[in-house]
Amino acid sequence: MIVYLIRRLLLMIPTFFGITVVTFVLINLAPGSPIEQKLQAIRFGAAGGGGGGGGGGGINTRGDTSVNEEVIEALKKQYGFDKPLHVRYFIWLKNLTRLDFGESFTYQEPVIDVIKSKFPVSLQFGIASLILTYLVCIPLGVRKAIKAGAAFDRITTILLNLTYSIPPLVLGIFLIVVFAGKLNMFPIGGIQSDDYESLTSMGKLWDRVHHFVLPLICYMIGGFTELSVLMRNSMLDVIKSDFVRTARAKGLSENIVIFKHALRNALIPIATGLGGFFGAFLAGSLIIEQMFNLDGIGLLGYQSVLSRDYNVIMGLTFISSLLLMFGRVFSDIIYVLIDPRIDFK
Amino acid sequence: MKGLLTLILSSALTAPAFAAAPNANAPKGGNFVFNLGGEPPTVHPITATDAYSRYVQNYVCDGMATRDSETYDWKPRLAEKWEISKDNKVFTFHLRKDAVFHDGTPVTADDVKFSFDAIFEPKYEAAHLRPYYEGLTKAEVIDAHTIRFTARDLYFNNFESAATLTVIPKKIYSDIEKSKKMNRQLVCAGPYVLSKFDRGQVITLKKFDKWYGNKDAAYAGMYNFDTITMRFYKDENVELERAKKGELDYLDLRVEAFMKKTEGAPWGKTIIKHKVENSAPKSYGFIGWNFRKELFQDRSVRVALAHLLNREEMNKKFRYGMSDLANGAIYLRSEYNPGNKALEFNPKKAQELLAKAGWTDKDKNGVLEKEVNGKRTEFKFTLIYPSKDTEKYYTMYREDLKKAGIDMELKYLEWNSFLKLVDEGNFDAVTMAWGGGSVDPDPKQIWHSASAVAGGSNFIAYKNPEVDKLIDEARVEPNKAKRVAALKKVYAKIAEDAPYAFLFNDKYAFYANSSRMGMPAETFKYEIGRDYWWLKAQ
């Protein structure tokens, strides 16, 4: 196992290079560099591309804005684009050894500070939805398996399929309009009230929970169905296996059969997903964050791609690929812990 | 008689239809909450480039002069008066002596000079700002409260560049390392202080109690709120729900939201909708024909293509009939508009023009063709566009073109990829929109042949020596009446050349406000005029 782990960890090095080189080259090849973003800002004001006749890029109001070579050269130097691509990659790598991800072109702050400022929001939602999903889906899946084919199983399957097919965007608008708007039961968005600072500790907790409910539902809706169905099917497989039949034949109570013998085995496929726990640190969804006005990683990633904020994109790629790779190794370890028969050699 | 009628009509066009005045006795106080629409990545006065930061800066920072919302005349701000030299190249501003920055230090000529020089100092990384100020060569301190700008040439907008320069305190921003970190702080000399900038949450402004205007009768009835809270909601549904809950005092509406999404209570009760007309220039959309392509070099073809664009129907179907059909490259109600007739939908006329240009469907395959350089060429082209929202317009256009024997392909491109093709001139036809621009426009950026370079705004490569000459003359003409006359000719010639098929000019501005708001008028001549609003006593 130890040898296997070392091998896996060593394999992470070329994988890491692969991911970062491909990302670096891709974003640099895509049209529109940070310099072009600045030039656009000069030419079109700040707005993006419009059309029709409504909105659209507003021209600046100060007349002639032909941009001369000198300005373009200055911008290139400002952003370090006066050097060739491979040199820039090596500079990025070199800085990485000092954990320096460079500066965000958009925010004009160190990338690490920008990510740090968005991170808590995504982390809170990531962890909350992960825990809640497991807490609900495991018992639900088990019950569905025990009652396989019965009314409970069929009705919940229909419900789960229904929720699975609702796009988070539609669900979000529905929740906002009905529960936050019409019924006025929840706040429309944000993570806390304006008077948050003046609340008591309990008041703060309640305020957070209150703000969390609607976006959390959107976050969980998809994974919810997947995990419940996975749990159900895995449990069904185990229930049908020989050792469960033997346990039953020995006269053990149904509860002991299910929860002591079957459940542990049925959890194996579910455990694979636990590696995704690391992903929860960067769980961000563009749509949900935008809708509920949450300032998280999802929105940051999306905006960085749109505005070609190379350093932020690379920073996020680096952190997420690292988390993903460690998540995989973590899953393998859990595998072994749950099922001693598994041995990676 | 006809002459008289024209005179009456033209004076009706130029005279203000209404004259709104601030309410000098407006009650002071309260918190005004509105949606900024997005979060400024930084509010730094030198490095910020986006529209959201400009909104914040408008409240927090001052320049030396500003435009009047009703007359568009220059009004003193940090400068109490100014002189313009006879040759129109030297501008001397006399600063008021009672102006202080938010840190309490007085505003001096030194600060103004620093604000100007910083733009050209590479360490400040303000290369993007330079093109706006390149018309000015230097700023000289005459004495503590007098500053003199010298212009490079006679360009009529030079004064505006100097007058609207954001003045920042040298003491604070001269420390570059410190200044670089001030992305969520803003120290200026405007009527409001930036008191809080919570990422992702809110920006709060507080009335600056030492602002010079607080005691000056010239600003009576302005900046009545104690605090201003700015939100960053991007989603329209969220914005409307927030407003319904009473959480917003002001929101801009799109025509769809105005017509469809704001019916029934509480609209009209706790939240009031407005459809207002003012003279602020509005944007126009267009389809531009690439003059580098043989196909579009014939004026008859371009005019025919414009005649095949059924704008009346589009306006009715997609814009609730709320738009004007643009008649050219300048806002319909601008005094610079030559008043030519907009090209109407007329397939018959288009057919005649196409035939005149030699395009006929000899082989009866449904597509027009012509001998070009000895080769039979079919009338086919591709229209590139960067916004899915507008697809419906062009789908309709494609059908009408098809009936006329023209095969147009639609191609959607992501903004950056789109712009790459536009910059390279590598397209047939392109669609976009220009913003309204200035009340006193300068067409050089879009219409002068000098702008027909890679990355230039004249990306369709429209070149007309006569237009170039008139633009060059108008730019150095300080007399506005003469400039209007020259530019009217420019815009008339452009409309005649039909380099774009012009789409729509917005006729109205749509917005809503909470019933807590008091306002002297629904709109001012050149803006909505929110700086004059107040909170009614509850």
Side-chain angles (χ1 to χ4, degrees), chain B residues 306-364:
Chain B
H307 276 309
L308 287 167
L309 187 68
N310 196 345
R311 295 185 295 170
E312 291 85 350
E313 192 63 23
M314 291 174 181
N315 189 21
K316 222 167 29 193
K317 269 206 170 108
F318 309 133
R319 308 171 80 86
Y320 306 90
M322 295 285 186
S323 294
D324 282 323
L325 308 186
N327 69 343
I330 178 83
Y331 180 49
L332 208 61
R333 285 174 188 71
S334 165
E335 58 187 307
Y336 291 86
N337 195 305
N340 52 303
K341 203 168 157 271
L343 292 178
E344 80 286 14
F345 177 62
N346 191 341
K348 207 170 147 251
K349 208 163 169 183
Q351 212 76 58
E352 285 165 19
L353 283 164
L354 288 167
K356 196 179 116 194
W359 290 95
T360 45
D361 186 11
K362 275 193 199 119
D363 59 4
K364 301 283 173 222

Coordinates of all heavy atoms in Angstrom, one line a residue, chain B residues 306-364:
Chain B
A306 N -30.0 47.6 -47.0 CA -30.7 48.3 -45.9 C -32.2 48.3 -46.2 O -33.0 48.2 -45.2 CB -30.2 49.7 -45.9
H307 N -32.6 48.3 -47.5 CA -34.0 48.3 -47.8 C -34.7 47.0 -47.5 O -35.9 46.8 -47.5 CB -34.2 48.7 -49.3 CG -34.3 50.1 -49.5 ND1 -35.1 51.0 -48.9 CD2 -33.6 50.9 -50.4 CE1 -34.9 52.2 -49.3 NE2 -34.0 52.2 -50.3
L308 N -33.9 45.9 -47.4 CA -34.4 44.6 -47.1 C -34.5 44.3 -45.6 O -35.0 43.2 -45.2 CB -33.5 43.5 -47.8 CG -33.7 43.5 -49.3 CD1 -32.6 42.7 -49.9 CD2 -35.0 43.0 -49.7
L309 N -34.1 45.3 -44.8 CA -34.2 45.1 -43.4 C -35.5 45.6 -42.8 O -35.7 46.8 -42.8 CB -33.0 45.9 -42.7 CG -32.7 45.7 -41.3 CD1 -32.2 44.3 -41.0 CD2 -31.7 46.7 -40.8
N310 N -36.4 44.7 -42.4 CA -37.7 45.1 -42.0 C -37.7 45.6 -40.5 O -38.2 44.9 -39.6 CB -38.7 43.9 -42.1 CG -40.1 44.4 -42.1 OD1 -40.4 45.5 -41.7 ND2 -41.0 43.6 -42.6
R311 N -37.2 46.8 -40.4 CA -37.1 47.3 -39.0 C -38.4 47.7 -38.3 O -38.6 47.5 -37.1 CB -36.2 48.6 -39.0 CG -34.8 48.3 -39.4 CD -33.9 49.5 -39.3 NE -34.4 50.6 -40.3 CZ -33.9 51.8 -40.2 NH1 -33.0 52.1 -39.3 NH2 -34.3 52.7 -41.1
E312 N -39.4 48.1 -39.2 CA -40.7 48.4 -38.6 C -41.3 47.2 -37.9 O -41.8 47.3 -36.8 CB -41.7 48.9 -39.7 CG -41.4 50.2 -40.4 CD -40.4 50.1 -41.5 OE1 -39.7 49.0 -41.7 OE2 -40.2 51.1 -42.2
E313 N -41.2 46.1 -38.6 CA -41.7 44.8 -38.0 C -40.9 44.3 -36.8 O -41.5 43.9 -35.8 CB -41.6 43.7 -39.2 CG -42.4 42.5 -38.9 CD -43.9 42.7 -38.8 OE1 -44.4 43.7 -39.3 OE2 -44.6 41.9 -38.1
M314 N -39.6 44.5 -36.9 CA -38.8 44.1 -35.7 C -39.1 44.9 -34.5 O -39.2 44.4 -33.4 CB -37.3 44.3 -36.1 CG -36.8 43.3 -37.1 SD -35.1 43.7 -37.6 CE -34.7 42.5 -38.8
N315 N -39.2 46.2 -34.8 CA -39.5 47.1 -33.7 C -40.9 46.7 -33.0 O -41.0 46.7 -31.8 CB -39.6 48.6 -34.2 CG -39.7 49.6 -33.1 OD1 -39.4 49.4 -32.0 ND2 -40.3 50.8 -33.5
K316 N -41.8 46.4 -33.9 CA -43.2 46.0 -33.4 C -43.1 44.7 -32.6 O -43.6 44.6 -31.5 CB -44.1 45.9 -34.6 CG -45.5 46.5 -34.3 CD -46.4 46.6 -35.4 CE -46.3 45.7 -36.6 NZ -47.0 46.1 -37.8
K317 N -42.4 43.8 -33.2 CA -42.3 42.4 -32.6 C -41.4 42.3 -31.4 O -41.8 41.7 -30.4 CB -41.8 41.4 -33.7 CG -42.8 40.8 -34.5 CD -42.3 39.5 -35.1 CE -43.4 38.7 -35.7 NZ -43.3 38.6 -37.2
F318 N -40.3 42.9 -31.5 CA -39.3 42.6 -30.4 C -39.0 43.8 -29.5 O -38.4 43.6 -28.4 CB -37.9 42.2 -31.0 CG -38.0 41.1 -32.0 CD1 -37.3 41.2 -33.3 CD2 -38.7 40.0 -31.8 CE1 -37.4 40.2 -34.2 CE2 -38.8 38.9 -32.7 CZ -38.1 39.1 -33.9
R319 N -39.5 45.0 -29.8 CA -39.2 46.1 -29.0 C -40.4 46.9 -28.6 O -40.4 48.1 -28.2 CB -38.2 47.1 -29.8 CG -37.0 46.3 -30.3 CD -36.2 47.2 -31.3 NE -35.3 48.1 -30.5 CZ -34.1 47.8 -30.1 NH1 -33.6 46.6 -30.3 NH2 -33.4 48.7 -29.4
Y320 N -41.6 46.3 -28.7 CA -42.9 46.8 -28.3 C -43.1 48.2 -29.0 O -43.8 49.0 -28.4 CB -42.9 46.9 -26.8 CG -42.6 45.6 -26.1 CD1 -41.4 45.3 -25.8 CD2 -43.7 44.7 -25.9 CE1 -41.1 44.1 -25.1 CE2 -43.4 43.5 -25.2 CZ -42.1 43.2 -24.9 OH -41.9 42.0 -24.3
G321 N -42.5 48.4 -30.1 CA -42.7 49.7 -30.8 C -42.1 50.9 -30.1 O -42.4 52.0 -30.4
M322 N -41.2 50.6 -29.2 CA -40.7 51.7 -28.3 C -39.4 52.3 -28.8 O -38.8 53.1 -28.2 CB -40.4 51.1 -26.9 CG -41.6 50.7 -26.2 SD -42.6 52.1 -25.6 CE -43.8 51.3 -24.6
S323 N -39.0 51.8 -30.0 CA -37.7 52.4 -30.5 C -37.9 53.2 -31.8 O -39.0 53.1 -32.4 CB -36.7 51.3 -30.9 OG -36.3 50.6 -29.7
D324 N -37.0 54.1 -32.1 CA -37.0 54.8 -33.3 C -36.1 54.1 -34.3 O -35.2 53.4 -33.9 CB -36.4 56.2 -33.1 CG -37.3 57.2 -32.4 OD1 -38.5 57.1 -32.7 OD2 -36.9 58.0 -31.6
L325 N -36.5 54.2 -35.6 CA -35.6 53.6 -36.6 C -34.5 54.6 -36.8 O -34.7 55.8 -37.2 CB -36.4 53.4 -37.9 CG -37.7 52.6 -37.7 CD1 -38.3 52.3 -39.1 CD2 -37.5 51.4 -36.9
A326 N -33.3 54.2 -36.6 CA -32.1 55.1 -36.7 C -32.0 55.6 -38.2 O -32.2 54.8 -39.1 CB -30.8 54.4 -36.3
N327 N -31.6 56.9 -38.4 CA -31.5 57.4 -39.7 C -30.0 57.6 -40.1 O -29.7 58.1 -41.1 CB -32.3 58.7 -39.9 CG -31.7 59.8 -39.1 OD1 -30.9 59.6 -38.2 ND2 -32.1 61.0 -39.5
G328 N -29.1 57.2 -39.2 CA -27.7 57.4 -39.5 C -26.9 57.1 -38.3 O -27.3 56.6 -37.3
A329 N -25.6 57.6 -38.3 CA -24.6 57.3 -37.3 C -24.7 58.3 -36.2 O -23.7 58.4 -35.4 CB -23.3 57.4 -38.0
I330 N -25.8 59.0 -36.0 CA -25.8 59.9 -34.9 C -27.3 59.9 -34.3 O -28.2 59.7 -35.0 CB -25.5 61.4 -35.3 CG1 -25.6 62.4 -34.2 CG2 -26.3 61.9 -36.5 CD1 -24.4 62.5 -33.3
Y331 N -27.4 60.0 -33.0 CA -28.6 59.9 -32.3 C -29.7 60.8 -33.0 O -29.4 62.0 -33.3 CB -28.5 60.3 -30.8 CG -29.7 60.2 -30.0 CD1 -30.5 59.1 -30.1 CD2 -30.1 61.3 -29.2 CE1 -31.7 59.0 -29.4 CE2 -31.3 61.2 -28.4 CZ -32.1 60.1 -28.5 OH -33.2 60.0 -27.8
L332 N -30.9 60.2 -33.1 CA -31.9 60.9 -33.9 C -32.3 62.3 -33.4 O -32.5 63.2 -34.2 CB -33.2 60.0 -33.8 CG -34.2 60.1 -34.9 CD1 -33.5 59.7 -36.2 CD2 -35.4 59.2 -34.6
R333 N -32.2 62.5 -32.1 CA -32.6 63.8 -31.5 C -31.5 64.7 -31.3 O -31.6 65.8 -30.7 CB -33.4 63.6 -30.2 CG -34.8 63.1 -30.5 CD -35.5 62.8 -29.2 NE -36.8 62.1 -29.5 CZ -36.9 60.9 -29.9 NH1 -35.8 60.2 -30.1 NH2 -38.1 60.4 -30.2
S334 N -30.3 64.3 -31.7 CA -29.1 65.2 -31.5 C -29.2 66.4 -32.5 O -29.7 66.3 -33.6 CB -27.9 64.4 -31.8 OG -26.8 65.2 -32.0
E335 N -28.7 67.5 -32.0 CA -28.7 68.7 -32.9 C -27.7 68.5 -34.1 O -27.8 69.2 -35.0 CB -28.3 69.9 -32.1 CG -27.0 69.9 -31.5 CD -26.7 71.1 -30.6 OE1 -26.9 72.2 -31.1 OE2 -26.4 70.9 -29.4
Y336 N -26.9 67.5 -34.0 CA -26.0 67.2 -35.1 C -26.6 66.3 -36.2 O -26.0 66.0 -37.2 CB -24.7 66.4 -34.6 CG -23.8 67.3 -33.7 CD1 -24.1 67.4 -32.3 CD2 -22.8 68.0 -34.2 CE1 -23.3 68.2 -31.5 CE2 -21.9 68.8 -33.4 CZ -22.2 68.9 -32.1 OH -21.4 69.7 -31.3
N337 N -27.8 65.8 -35.9 CA -28.5 64.9 -36.9 C -29.0 65.7 -38.1 O -29.7 66.7 -37.9 CB -29.6 64.2 -36.2 CG -30.1 63.0 -37.1 OD1 -30.4 63.2 -38.2 ND2 -30.1 61.8 -36.5
P338 N -28.6 65.4 -39.3 CA -29.0 66.2 -40.5 C -30.4 66.0 -40.8 O -30.9 66.7 -41.7 CB -28.1 65.6 -41.6 CG -27.7 64.2 -41.1 CD -27.7 64.2 -39.6
G339 N -31.1 65.1 -40.2 CA -32.6 65.0 -40.4 C -33.0 64.3 -41.7 O -34.1 64.5 -42.2
N340 N -32.0 63.5 -42.2 CA -32.4 62.7 -43.5 C -33.4 61.6 -43.1 O -33.6 61.2 -42.0 CB -31.1 62.1 -44.1 CG -30.3 61.3 -43.0 OD1 -30.0 61.8 -42.0 ND2 -30.1 60.0 -43.3
K341 N -34.0 61.1 -44.2 CA -35.1 60.1 -44.0 C -34.4 58.7 -43.8 O -33.5 58.4 -44.5 CB -35.9 60.1 -45.3 CG -37.3 59.6 -45.0 CD -38.2 59.8 -46.2 CE -39.4 58.9 -46.2 NZ -39.1 57.6 -47.0
A342 N -35.0 58.0 -42.8 CA -34.4 56.7 -42.6 C -34.8 55.7 -43.7 O -35.9 55.9 -44.3 CB -35.0 56.1 -41.3
L343 N -34.0 54.8 -44.1 CA -34.3 53.9 -45.2 C -35.4 52.9 -44.8 O -35.2 52.2 -43.8 CB -33.0 53.2 -45.6 CG -31.9 54.0 -46.3 CD1 -30.7 53.2 -46.6 CD2 -32.4 54.7 -47.5
E344 N -36.5 52.9 -45.5 CA -37.6 52.0 -45.1 C -37.5 50.6 -45.7 O -36.6 50.4 -46.6 CB -38.9 52.7 -45.5 CG -39.3 52.5 -46.9 CD -38.6 53.4 -47.9 OE1 -37.5 54.0 -47.6 OE2 -39.1 53.5 -49.1
F345 N -38.3 49.7 -45.2 CA -38.3 48.4 -45.8 C -39.0 48.4 -47.1 O -40.1 48.8 -47.2 CB -39.1 47.5 -44.8 CG -39.2 46.0 -45.3 CD1 -38.1 45.2 -45.5 CD2 -40.5 45.5 -45.5 CE1 -38.3 43.9 -45.9 CE2 -40.7 44.2 -45.9 CZ -39.5 43.4 -46.2
N346 N -38.3 48.1 -48.2 CA -38.8 48.2 -49.5 C -38.2 47.2 -50.4 O -37.2 47.5 -51.2 CB -38.6 49.7 -50.0 CG -39.4 49.9 -51.3 OD1 -39.8 49.0 -52.0 ND2 -39.6 51.2 -51.6
P347 N -38.6 46.0 -50.4 CA -38.0 44.9 -51.2 C -38.0 45.2 -52.7 O -37.0 44.9 -53.4 CB -38.9 43.7 -50.9 CG -39.6 44.0 -49.7 CD -39.8 45.5 -49.6
K348 N -39.0 45.9 -53.2 CA -39.1 46.2 -54.6 C -37.9 47.1 -55.0 O -37.3 46.9 -56.0 CB -40.5 46.9 -54.9 CG -40.9 46.7 -56.3 CD -42.3 47.1 -56.5 CE -42.5 47.6 -57.9 NZ -42.6 49.1 -58.0
K349 N -37.8 48.2 -54.2 CA -36.7 49.1 -54.5 C -35.3 48.4 -54.4 O -34.4 48.7 -55.2 CB -36.8 50.2 -53.5 CG -36.2 51.6 -54.0 CD -36.7 52.6 -53.0 CE -36.0 54.0 -53.3 NZ -36.5 55.0 -52.3
A350 N -35.2 47.5 -53.4 CA -34.0 46.8 -53.3 C -33.7 46.0 -54.5 O -32.6 45.9 -55.0 CB -34.1 45.9 -52.0
Q351 N -34.7 45.3 -55.0 CA -34.6 44.5 -56.2 C -34.1 45.3 -57.4 O -33.2 44.9 -58.1 CB -36.0 43.9 -56.6 CG -35.8 42.5 -57.2 CD -35.5 41.4 -56.2 OE1 -36.2 41.2 -55.2 NE2 -34.4 40.7 -56.4
E352 N -34.7 46.5 -57.5 CA -34.3 47.4 -58.6 C -32.8 47.8 -58.5 O -32.0 47.8 -59.5 CB -35.1 48.7 -58.6 CG -36.5 48.5 -59.1 CD -37.5 49.7 -58.8 OE1 -36.9 50.8 -58.5 OE2 -38.7 49.5 -58.8
L353 N -32.4 48.2 -57.2 CA -31.1 48.6 -57.0 C -30.1 47.4 -57.3 O -29.0 47.7 -57.9 CB -30.9 49.0 -55.6 CG -31.5 50.4 -55.3 CD1 -31.6 50.7 -53.8 CD2 -30.5 51.5 -55.8
L354 N -30.5 46.2 -56.9 CA -29.6 45.1 -57.1 C -29.4 44.8 -58.6 O -28.3 44.5 -59.1 CB -30.1 43.9 -56.4 CG -30.0 43.9 -54.9 CD1 -30.8 42.8 -54.2 CD2 -28.5 43.7 -54.5
A355 N -30.6 45.0 -59.3 CA -30.5 44.7 -60.8 C -29.6 45.8 -61.4 O -28.8 45.5 -62.3 CB -31.9 44.8 -61.3
K356 N -29.8 47.0 -60.9 CA -28.9 48.1 -61.4 C -27.4 47.8 -61.2 O -26.6 48.2 -62.0 CB -29.3 49.4 -60.7 CG -28.9 50.7 -61.4 CD -29.3 51.9 -60.6 CE -28.1 52.6 -60.1 NZ -28.4 53.6 -59.1
A357 N -27.2 47.2 -60.1 CA -25.8 46.8 -59.8 C -25.3 45.6 -60.5 O -24.2 45.1 -60.3 CB -25.6 46.7 -58.3
G358 N -26.2 45.0 -61.3 CA -25.8 43.8 -62.1 C -26.1 42.5 -61.5 O -25.7 41.4 -62.0
W359 N -26.8 42.5 -60.4 CA -27.2 41.2 -59.7 C -28.5 40.7 -60.2 O -29.5 41.3 -59.9 CB -27.2 41.4 -58.2 CG -25.8 41.6 -57.6 CD1 -25.3 42.9 -57.3 CD2 -24.8 40.7 -57.3 NE1 -24.0 42.7 -56.8 CE2 -23.7 41.4 -56.8 CE3 -24.8 39.3 -57.3 CZ2 -22.6 40.7 -56.4 CZ3 -23.6 38.6 -56.9 CH2 -22.5 39.4 -56.4
T360 N -28.5 39.6 -60.9 CA -29.7 39.0 -61.4 C -29.7 37.4 -61.2 O -28.6 36.9 -61.2 CB -30.0 39.3 -62.9 OG1 -28.8 39.1 -63.6 CG2 -30.5 40.7 -63.1
D361 N -30.8 36.8 -61.2 CA -30.9 35.4 -61.0 C -31.1 34.8 -62.4 O -32.2 34.3 -62.7 CB -32.0 35.0 -60.0 CG -32.0 33.5 -59.7 OD1 -31.0 32.8 -60.1 OD2 -33.0 33.1 -59.1
K362 N -30.0 34.7 -63.2 CA -30.2 34.2 -64.6 C -30.5 32.7 -64.6 O -31.3 32.2 -65.4 CB -28.9 34.4 -65.3 CG -28.9 35.9 -65.9 CD -27.7 36.0 -67.0 CE -27.4 37.5 -67.2 NZ -26.0 37.8 -66.8
D363 N -29.9 31.9 -63.7 CA -30.1 30.5 -63.7 C -31.3 30.0 -62.9 O -31.6 28.8 -62.8 CB -28.8 29.7 -63.3 CG -28.4 30.1 -61.9 OD1 -29.2 30.9 -61.2 OD2 -27.4 29.7 -61.4
K364 N -32.0 31.0 -62.4 CA -33.3 30.7 -61.7 C -33.1 29.7 -60.6 O -34.0 28.9 -60.3 CB -34.4 30.2 -62.7 CG -34.7 31.1 -63.8 CD -35.6 32.3 -63.3 CE -35.8 33.3 -64.4 NZ -35.7 34.7 -64.0

